[in-house]
Amino acid sequence: MKLEIGNFHVEDIRFGDSTEFNDGILTINKDEALQVVKEDRHITDADIKIVKPGDQVRLVPVKEAIEPRYRMDEGPLFPGVTGNLQQVGDGMTVALKGTSVLVVGKHWGGFQDGLIDMAGEGAKYTYFSQLKNIVLVADTDEEFEKREQQKKNKALRWAGMRLAEYIGRSVSNQDPDEIEEFELDPITKRDTDTSELPGVVLVMQPQTQMEEDGYNALNYGWNANHMLPTLMHPNEVLDGAMISGSFMPCSSKWSTYDFQNFNLIKRLYEEHGETVNFLGVIMSNLNVALEQKERSAQFVANIASNLGAEAAIVAEEGYGNPDADYIACLVALEDAGIKTVGVSNEATGRDGESQPLVSLDPKADALVSTGNVSELIKLPPMETVIGELEALARDGLSGGWEDDEELGSSVKEDGSIVMENNSMFCGDGVAGWSTKTMKEF
Amino acid sequence: MSNKAVVYINQFFGQIGGEEAADHEPEVRDGVAGAAQAIAPNFDGEIVKTVICGDNYMSSNQDKAVAKILGELEDVDFDIFFAGPAFQAGRYGNACGAIGKAVKEEFNVPVVSSMNVENPGVDMFKKHIYIFPGGHSAAKMRDDAKKMAEFGNKLLNEEGPFLAEEEGFYKRGIRHQYFLPDETPAADRAIDMLLKKINGEEYQSELPIPEQDLVEIAPAIQDLSSTKIALVTSGGIVPVENPDKIQSASATRWGKYNIAGQDKLENRASNKYKTIHAGYDPAAADADPNRVVPLDALRKYQEEGRIGEIHDYFYSTVGTGTTEGEAARMGAEIAGELLEANVQAVILTST
């Protein structure tokens, strides 16, 4: 399978008469773009804004991030989600780099939504502060969940995907600045030099703990709660097979952008043929019942064993209850004789004194920690807020609160905020971005 | 304005006397006294007071001693508190920890101490105050005191971030997120760790899992009808006056209470038993302490001949925030008593 991603480096983004890309400048025809957004009648109100690193802008509640792309065979960007099912990971997809479509609620947020500061102290907490972002800020008529803490955010997330594809189309008839190639021969057809290197699998545990449809990560449109762990080609993940769910506390979230650019996959590709033989991705999930957790761990270890994997990396989207899935998977792999490294965040509490993971096992002896979900963060007011600042306090965001005995509300009258890292949009960068670790103080 | 420190030392290092003076009541002297001199040369500031207290006095009258010292320090202007170094001296280590923790909580100043790794004060207090690894004996006084003073300077100059691995104090189980100065992303760290693990090279897990000291589950007792059973709880059930002053959290004390001839535990409203545990809603346990210490049910079993005997005492402590080390010590002490009383089985209730 050979995937080519044709990259166009975006130097600047503006509004203009037509949506086009010239010499690094992305121009967007706002009216046309909004028509694409409003193809769904559930979108009642929408606007598009452009924010860049250094802008004195705070975005909240942020629901999703998607890299603008276009599939050169004209197939849907997210098969099974935004269009018919088709195989991805082979062929050419073009991408606008250094930018993302951010989806922000005009008013209403929820547990799974987050915050991004584009400048100042807060900018260091999320990867998306470093991108030039096309911000869709919109409202919907999804009355049933307006005041629910858990939101499916369906209309907004799907509008974001349409918008990303619409913008991606602007470069479909141009030569990219560079082409990234992702190619792996079938596992049994690799040259001797590669086959003799230690075989490595990447085990991904996207968030799938909601029983009801609409909240979980989707695999080619299929609720990943309803699947057993399966072998996937890493190119499929990079090329739109997976979309983010709408459930997890936000710093733990893997946005769709994260799947499209999964740093751990890219790093394993770099090592492939040099230090390791990258066998592929075992797409697992996260479950609620103990037997489901154990079943998934067993499937992962068995697939890895039968692929002849010598080593594995396990990445967990979430914390708390799913730590049990994470540790069970690490232990199952170690028990199968596979040398395993885990990547996840921790939850040590505001005082740093709580047990870092819900479940611990001495066999999990090689862990990368990407942050503390409950770290307290205080940030000054920002000139401009896109969305609604009050959502952080009012709507049950995982790192915000209406009242706290010591700290009061998360949102102060002057626009300054106090929050837990929990609500930093994809802040713990488990996909591999995080420059944070955990230390003993 | 120069920094001001208060130093705590015991009767020996205060040059009052050895074991014969261990009951010396706490006193607060102006300026530098006794071994506080070891701190002075490396501390960028002034030692304004030296507190001297007998080790025995502190261990047998801790609340009183702490209250007296806190009272005398109330009007003292100081920025940092040094306790020790205490080397391997157990009672001295405990005293440094106890007064250090109290000073930190009362005056919100940093507290720095030094103890040998074998000193039980390390596990008891490393979470509450900074404790540096120290020597076995006073031969290391100069080195240990220097470490304390120099770290004190750094704290007061706010030359953070004060990571345990960089500064060298005992790890405290306090984990916070930290931006790596070299900004190495998690993916690179994961690959690096993976390759080292594959190649059998040394690597550092970013989340070391503490050693687990698991106790094997004992085999089931076949015949309970002749078994003597004791009730033990970490649920904090005590007589309402809490005669043993067991702490509501982070307990270091346990108590035993006579239940001979009682059908059940009377409740708080009857002025008999209540819970002092701060980790759960006490309403149900106060209304009926038997739900934590099930004496009523056990008496019925006894009447029915299903169990042999109930030990005349139940044992109680508080499990919330209690360190593993303290829990193990208390458990061993209680187990010793139970073995002596020929108890063959224990019902251990947690909450």
Side-chain angles (χ1 to χ4, degrees):
Chain A
M1 204 172 239
K2 180 178 176 183
L3 172 66
E4 289 182 306
I5 299 186
N7 290 330
F8 293 81
H9 296 291
V10 177
E11 309 293 333
D12 199 7
I13 310 174
R14 314 170 173 162
F15 292 116
D17 292 337
S18 67
T19 298
E20 59 187 16
F21 181 82
N22 286 312
D23 297 329
I25 311 294
L26 172 65
T27 307
I28 299 170
N29 176 329
K30 198 192 225 184
D31 291 339
E32 199 176 276
L34 284 172
Q35 275 171 29
V36 173
V37 166
K38 290 177 178 171
E39 280 170 17
D40 181 351
R41 61 185 169 78
H42 293 293
I43 302 285
T44 53
D45 184 33
D47 194 7
I48 295 171
K49 296 181 186 282
I50 295 161
V51 298
K52 297 166 200 167
D55 288 355
Q56 299 292 318
V57 175
R58 175 164 293 154
L59 302 123
V60 64
V62 186
K63 294 161 186 293
E64 172 67 302
I66 308 140
E67 187 170 71
R69 288 187 180 187
Y70 187 72
R71 195 177 296 290
M72 292 306 285
D73 65 7
E74 301 183 351
L77 200 48
F78 302 102
V81 178
T82 57
N84 291 338
L85 206 55
Q86 73 170 58
Q87 181 63 49
V88 300
D90 197 44
M92 176 96 163
T93 296
V94 288
L96 290 149
K97 302 309 278 192
T99 179
S100 81
V101 169
L102 292 179
V103 182
V104 178
K106 182 167 186 187
H107 300 294
W108 305 101
F111 191 66
Q112 67 292 317
D113 301 338
L115 179 141
I116 297 173
D117 271 5
M118 293 304 296
E121 170 75 7
K124 72 179 184 191
Y125 289 99
T126 94
Y127 180 80
F128 297 90
S129 310
Q130 305 162 31
L131 301 179
K132 295 173 268 291
N133 296 299
I134 300 142
V135 183
L136 169 62
V137 51
D139 201 7
T140 79
D141 67 357
E142 291 157 313
E143 294 293 327
F144 74 99
E145 66 175 13
K146 186 165 273 181
R147 293 189 181 272
E148 290 293 325
Q149 190 177 14
Q150 294 285 1
K151 289 183 171 60
K152 299 179 183 182
N153 287 321
K154 168 139 197 212
L156 290 172
R157 291 193 292 136
W158 263 247
M161 287 186 274
R162 284 195 304 279
L163 182 57
E165 188 166 0
Y166 163 79
I167 292 166
R169 188 180 290 129
S170 67
V171 292
S172 60
N173 52 2
Q174 294 179 46
D175 290 331
D177 297 330
E178 61 169 12
I179 295 176
E180 275 182 290
E181 287 186 11
F182 300 96
E183 184 172 18
L184 292 176
D185 291 330
I187 293 168
T188 56
K189 309 282 186 210
R190 296 184 181 170
D191 63 55
T192 320
D193 285 351
T194 303
S195 297
E196 281 173 356
L197 293 168
V200 174
V201 290
L202 173 65
V203 180
M204 295 174 65
Q205 298 183 307
Q207 184 47 247
T208 58
Q209 287 193 293
M210 289 295 268
E211 303 286 354
E212 192 183 328
D213 277 342
Y215 299 99
N216 292 330
L218 300 180
N219 189 345
Y220 286 101
W222 184 253
N223 182 345
N225 175 281
H226 299 162
M227 59 175 256
L228 290 166
T230 190
L231 180 67
M232 291 179 76
H233 196 290
N235 290 3
E236 296 180 274
V237 179
L238 296 177
D239 196 28
M242 300 292 302
I243 70 149
S244 173
S246 182
F247 165 57
M248 203 57 206
C250 207
S251 72
S252 305
K253 184 198 284 287
W254 298 351
S255 68
T256 296
Y257 181 101
D258 288 318
F259 281 110
Q260 291 171 304
N261 291 281
F262 216 79
N263 204 1
L264 283 164
I265 291 180
K266 292 192 173 182
R267 281 295 286 112
L268 282 167
Y269 255 111
E270 282 171 31
E271 298 298 322
H272 177 70
E274 303 288 328
T275 59
V276 304
N277 177 12
F278 186 17
L279 298 172
V281 169
I282 300 176
M283 188 59 67
S284 187
N285 53 11
L286 294 168
N287 294 288
V288 180
L290 185 60
E291 196 181 83
Q292 298 166 347
K293 295 172 191 284
E294 287 172 350
R295 184 181 295 111
S296 281
Q298 184 180 308
F299 263 85
V300 167
N302 190 48
I303 294 169
S305 290
N306 282 294
L307 290 173
E310 195 175 308
I313 296 176
V314 179
E316 175 202 10
E317 183 188 5
Y319 73 92
N321 181 295
D323 291 341
D325 306 61
Y326 174 57
I327 293 294
C329 191
L330 289 163
V331 169
L333 286 161
E334 288 287 344
D335 283 346
I338 296 164
K339 292 170 178 146
T340 307
V341 168
V343 187
S344 84
N345 53 12
E346 298 183 24
T348 60
R350 291 178 190 173
D351 60 9
E353 294 183 21
S354 292
Q355 182 171 311
L357 302 174
V358 161
S359 168
L360 297 171
D361 193 295
K363 287 174 184 166
D365 62 1
L367 301 176
V368 172
S369 280
T370 63
N372 173 22
V373 299
S374 20
E375 205 74 40
L376 213 52
I377 298 168
K378 291 181 184 180
L379 295 170
M382 203 57 102
E383 267 173 28
T384 307
V385 173
I386 296 178
E388 195 163 289
L389 189 58
E390 194 50 34
L392 177 65
R394 182 194 60 209
D395 296 348
L397 271 69
S398 51
W401 50 86
E402 266 191 300
D403 201 15
D404 179 281
E405 280 174 8
E406 283 174 31
L407 302 163
S409 169
S410 274
V411 178
K412 309 299 179 193
E413 265 179 32
D414 67 353
S416 63
I417 56 174
V418 53
M419 60 182 281
E420 280 186 7
N421 175 47
N422 253 320
S423 281
M424 278 298 172
F425 184 75
C426 301
D428 291 330
V430 172
W433 319 117
S434 180
T435 58
K436 291 185 294 182
T437 184
M438 294 289 288
K439 293 280 189 193
E440 290 264 351
F441 281 76
Chain B
M1 209 176 68
S2 91
N3 292 317
K4 296 185 179 65
V6 172
V7 180
Y8 175 92
I9 49 180
N10 71 1
Q11 83 286 349
F12 179 75
F13 291 105
Q15 290 164 357
I16 288 168
E19 199 54 37
E20 77 286 354
D23 285 315
H24 187 76
E25 286 192 29
E27 56 169 309
V28 177
R29 294 192 191 167
D30 287 336
V32 187
Q37 275 163 358
I39 304 273
N42 293 299
F43 177 62
D44 297 339
E46 185 193 352
I47 294 172
V48 292
K49 299 278 179 190
T50 302
V51 182
I52 305 170
C53 179
D55 284 338
N56 279 355
Y57 189 84
M58 180 59 94
S59 63
S60 34
N61 307 281
Q62 189 171 311
D63 292 348
K64 218 166 124 187
V66 166
K68 181 166 185 217
I69 296 167
L70 293 184
E72 294 211 23
L73 293 180
E74 206 162 284
D75 296 325
V76 177
D77 175 25
F78 65 110
D79 309 294
I80 190 164
F81 188 84
F82 295 106
F87 313 108
Q88 204 175 330
R91 280 173 307 166
Y92 190 16
N94 180 64
C96 288
I99 188 63
K101 176 172 184 269
V103 165
K104 181 178 161 228
E105 284 165 5
E106 180 73 18
F107 302 113
N108 194 28
V109 295
V111 175
V112 183
S113 184
S114 163
M115 299 179 202
N116 184 265
V117 66
E118 302 290 335
N119 194 318
V122 173
D123 274 346
M124 286 176 70
F125 294 105
K126 65 184 179 186
K127 182 162 262 176
H128 305 287
I129 62 174
Y130 292 107
I131 305 176
F132 282 82
H136 291 280
S137 69
K140 287 282 176 192
M141 171 69 85
R142 192 187 298 236
D143 293 348
D144 292 357
K146 185 175 179 209
K147 267 190 221 165
M148 290 167 60
E150 286 179 346
F151 183 63
N153 295 337
K154 280 181 95 168
L155 281 172
L156 294 175
N157 293 332
E158 296 176 4
E159 295 164 6
F162 309 123
L163 306 180
E165 65 188 33
E166 285 176 7
E167 306 297 344
F169 54 79
Y170 292 107
K171 287 186 177 172
R172 310 192 295 164
I174 299 176
R175 294 173 64 77
H176 287 288
Q177 65 182 25
Y178 174 71
F179 286 86
L180 288 163
D182 62 7
E183 300 186 348
T184 310
D188 288 359
R189 282 138 58 198
I191 299 285
D192 183 57
M193 207 182 285
L194 189 78
L195 293 177
K196 284 182 171 154
K197 194 168 176 179
I198 289 172
N199 297 327
E201 294 164 26
E202 228 174 90
Y203 60 87
Q204 203 84 45
S205 177
E206 294 178 18
L207 170 48
I209 308 285
E211 287 282 325
Q212 287 169 320
D213 186 13
L214 298 178
V215 179
E216 290 246 359
I217 294 172
I221 295 169
Q222 296 305 321
D223 178 18
L224 286 172
S225 67
S226 58
T227 301
K228 183 176 180 181
I229 297 177
L231 288 160
V232 180
T233 187
S234 62
I237 301 293
V238 294
V240 287
E241 68 275 19
N242 188 12
D244 296 297
K245 300 200 165 35
I246 298 172
Q247 301 93 330
S248 293
S250 304
T252 59
R253 292 196 275 271
W254 53 270
K256 64 172 181 177
Y257 307 107
N258 197 321
I259 47 174
Q262 294 176 32
D263 287 341
K264 59 175 186 173
L265 297 182
E266 297 294 339
N267 67 9
R268 180 174 195 166
S270 317
N271 213 27
K272 287 286 198 294
Y273 289 98
K274 67 170 185 182
T275 182
I276 44 132
H277 193 294
Y280 67 93
D281 184 339
D286 284 350
D288 186 356
N290 297 279
R291 296 293 59 80
V292 178
V293 178
L295 179 62
D296 56 351
L298 220 53
R299 286 288 182 219
K300 287 222 172 71
Y301 271 30
Q302 192 181 17
E303 274 168 32
E304 292 167 12
R306 293 163 71 160
I307 59 170
E309 204 184 326
I310 302 170
H311 185 43
D312 283 346
Y313 295 88
F314 82 88
Y315 291 76
S316 183
T317 186
V318 163
T320 188
T322 301
T323 63
E324 239 176 81
E326 284 300 304
R329 176 186 57 76
M330 292 192 281
E333 288 169 2
I334 293 169
E337 291 215 358
L338 295 176
L339 285 171
E340 208 155 291
N342 290 317
V343 171
Q344 293 145 306
V346 170
I347 294 175
L348 175 63
T349 52
S350 65
T351 46

